[in-house]
Amino acid sequence: MDDDPIARLFLVESCEILDQASIKIRHCLGQLTADQIGWRPHPDGNSIGNLILHICGNLRQWTVSGIGGEPDTRDRKSEFDCGNSFDADSLVTLVETTVSTAQTLISGLAGNQLVERRMIQGFDVTVLQAIHHTTTHFVGHTHQIIYITRMILGDNYQMRWSPAEDRGKLPI
């Protein structure tokens, strides 16, 4: 491990962003029924369950496989074709396991590894680009999950954070 403070800060913040997003996802899932998790806004739209399968597939592909070198077993199409039946506990476990695995890999990197190149999904990227891409992708879809949850629940949606709360961690 090298001692580049900027690289270390990037790696720590990337892990923190994934942690904050997974907290938001768990918070949403805790308010929804199985039918609501599988609800699609229109026939070609994505449900919350589909989005979770998708972001976990993407995170695993870009970090564990793309950066870490594990075999890429992702079946992207199945993330969207899996139907409308989802179990919240299974999705929470999937998010927690996928994020934890990615965080372990990311936090174990040395700063000089951030400039190494990888071929991921046909893109020639640096490790830094791969981490930045997949964390922002994860957060973007997390906000879709929050939006869909709020759309489904309306006034019954329970906020996770308010401006009056402790400011210990920067929320996404």
Side-chain angles (χ1 to χ4, degrees):
M1 190 88 51
D2 62 26
D3 62 354
D4 179 344
I6 295 171
R8 181 62 25 216
L9 181 61
F10 172 76
L11 295 169
V12 168
E13 183 63 16
S14 296
C15 290
E16 179 62 26
I17 286 169
L18 291 171
D19 191 50
Q20 289 295 315
S22 67
I23 290 168
K24 301 268 187 189
I25 292 168
R26 285 192 313 267
H27 179 70
C28 288
L29 289 173
Q31 299 179 63
L32 298 169
T33 66
D35 287 342
Q36 291 169 326
I37 293 167
W39 177 80
R40 294 173 186 253
H42 55 82
D44 293 329
N46 294 316
S47 69
I48 289 171
N50 295 126
L51 291 171
I52 291 171
L53 295 178
H54 174 64
I55 60 177
C56 289
N58 180 274
L59 183 60
R60 181 165 177 72
Q61 183 178 43
W62 281 78
T63 59
V64 178
S65 299
I67 297 170
E70 293 293 321
D72 182 3
T73 59
R74 184 179 184 196
D75 178 6
R76 187 179 186 279
K77 186 174 178 346
S78 72
E79 297 162 8
F80 302 102
D81 291 343
C82 61
N84 299 8
S85 179
F86 296 97
D87 174 63
D89 292 337
S90 296
L91 291 173
V92 167
T93 299
L94 176 64
V95 170
E96 289 176 348
T97 302
T98 305
V99 167
S100 176
T101 302
Q103 288 173 320
T104 298
L105 186 133
I106 291 168
S107 65
L109 293 170
N112 61 349
Q113 290 178 284
L114 293 175
V115 296
E116 292 177 4
R117 301 205 73 81
R118 301 286 193 276
M119 186 64 70
I120 307 172
Q121 278 188 352
F123 297 100
D124 181 16
V125 296
T126 64
V127 169
L128 185 143
Q129 287 173 309
I131 294 168
H132 185 263
H133 164 78
T134 198
T135 54
T136 57
H137 179 264
F138 200 93
V139 169
H141 285 307
T142 296
H143 286 290
Q144 286 181 314
I145 292 165
I146 295 166
Y147 177 76
I148 294 169
T149 302
R150 292 184 76 172
M151 189 169 56
I152 290 169
L153 297 177
D155 290 340
N156 292 322
Y157 177 79
Q158 298 169 13
M159 297 297 286
R160 164 93 179 56
W161 181 87
S162 72
E165 286 185 34
D166 176 33
R167 303 274 179 150
K169 290 186 176 183
L170 182 65
I172 59 163

